[in-house]
Amino acid sequence: MTLPNDPPLQRIQFYVTTPYPCGYLDGRQAQSLIAAPHHLIDNRVYSDLIQFGFRRSGKFAYRPHCENCSACVPVRLPVSEFKPSRSQRRAWKHHANLTVQVLDLHYSEEHFKLYRAYQHARHTGGGMDADGVEQYRNFLAQSNVETVLVEFRENEVLKMVSVVDCVRDGLSAVYTFYDCSNPHASYGTYSILWLAEWCRRIQRPYLFLGYWIAESRKMAYKQDFQPLEALLDGEWHPLMKNSSKDV
């Protein structure tokens, strides 16, 4: 990995974690490359790291670094070229009654309750459904970079929260959790559409969507947002729907 000759970035060191069970592909072991020390990773440094496929969890910046697997592919959406599909336009219209508020990053008991309900509904047995307040705070309620919370409410009732990093050339969707009680809702899709529109309004070219994993049902949906770009061999390339990552 060749980093730009930028003094703040050159002060960062990288280390590889020991193997741990992969959270996306059953039966596989994962490893991560961690950027350290975390207190030096401010918005300027993180804006560079995200170009190399790094993501943020709490105060830590990381990217997958698995010895025998390259399934996790960083992806971003160039918002000026994005054209919503018919089903995405339906989701936008269906949730047009949601009110949205952008807030500074903070801990909220209301948010935590929604997060726990979401984990129990969507990720039972994955470990995160057992998260307590401390784990939630470490994961989503602290950051060394410019991070905001986006609240989505319907008739003043909290329906969804998106944790979003504001980087130099875009927005990065860190994590979104929502009310799963309505099987006809499309909150996840709506959040991406709303963030893409926000990118356009503030004239930032990209919405970073984390990792696309073709073999994971939880992560493959990102390919539905086109035209998507993938970081492959150190460069961003178009990733067409239903293509493999070997483009």
Side-chain angles (χ1 to χ4, degrees):
M1 181 175 63
T2 303
L3 298 175
N5 188 24
D6 183 18
L9 195 56
Q10 292 300 316
R11 296 169 64 190
I12 301 301
Q13 298 179 340
F14 303 90
Y15 66 90
V16 180
T17 66
T18 57
Y20 56 89
C22 178
Y24 298 107
L25 300 175
D26 292 339
R28 299 196 192 182
Q29 292 290 101
Q31 289 180 277
S32 295
L33 186 68
I34 306 295
H38 64 76
H39 67 269
L40 293 182
I41 301 173
D42 57 14
N43 226 67
R44 176 180 175 183
V45 171
Y46 186 61
S47 290
D48 287 330
L49 287 175
I50 204 169
Q51 302 301 327
F52 292 88
F54 280 80
R55 297 285 290 166
R56 185 186 62 78
S57 177
K59 293 184 178 180
F60 295 92
Y62 72 95
R63 77 173 192 183
H65 192 78
C66 304
E67 184 175 350
N68 299 309
C69 180
S70 57
C72 295
V73 180
V75 290
R76 68 185 186 185
L77 183 66
V79 297
S80 65
E81 303 170 38
F82 171 53
K83 298 292 190 295
S85 66
R86 181 178 299 177
S87 64
Q88 290 164 356
R89 292 195 299 271
R90 285 199 301 267
W92 181 261
K93 183 177 180 180
H94 182 67
H95 293 299
N97 59 333
L98 290 175
T99 58
V100 184
Q101 187 174 12
V102 179
L103 305 170
D104 291 337
L105 185 65
H106 68 282
Y107 171 77
S108 161
E109 183 68 23
E110 184 183 24
H111 293 175
F112 176 65
K113 289 180 179 178
L114 181 62
Y115 171 84
R116 285 294 301 271
Y118 171 80
Q119 294 298 338
H120 281 294
R122 290 299 177 93
H123 303 294
T124 301
M128 295 173 71
D129 55 323
D131 281 358
V133 171
E134 183 177 359
Q135 289 91 342
Y136 173 84
R137 285 182 182 271
N138 290 339
F139 176 35
L140 293 178
Q142 60 179 6
S143 171
N144 285 338
V145 305
E146 184 183 346
T147 304
V148 297
L149 299 173
V150 184
E151 279 189 352
F152 298 82
R153 294 180 181 271
E154 184 176 11
N155 298 324
E156 301 185 1
V157 177
L158 184 66
K159 292 296 182 180
M160 179 166 58
V161 177
S162 289
V163 182
V164 181
D165 289 338
C166 305
V167 294
R168 181 172 53 244
D169 61 347
L171 299 173
S172 175
V174 177
Y175 201 78
T176 295
F177 51 95
Y178 48 83
D179 178 7
C180 299
S181 63
N182 181 0
H184 302 294
S186 302
Y187 290 126
T189 296
Y190 185 81
S191 71
I192 293 176
L193 298 174
W194 192 91
L195 291 174
E197 181 59 30
W198 189 21
C199 273
R200 281 193 286 262
R201 291 201 310 268
I202 62 177
Q203 298 183 331
R204 297 192 188 186
Y206 299 109
L207 175 60
F208 293 87
L209 293 175
Y211 302 114
W212 169 71
I213 305 174
E215 302 171 63
S216 170
R217 180 181 57 82
K218 297 177 183 177
M219 305 294 276
Y221 73 91
K222 298 175 184 183
Q223 203 176 13
D224 293 335
F225 295 85
Q226 290 291 332
L228 200 63
E229 294 181 352
L231 184 64
L232 301 167
D233 299 322
E235 296 184 358
W236 292 97
H237 298 275
L239 183 70
M240 302 305 294
K241 190 172 182 179
N242 299 323
S243 69
S244 73
K245 67 185 178 70
D246 298 320
V247 296

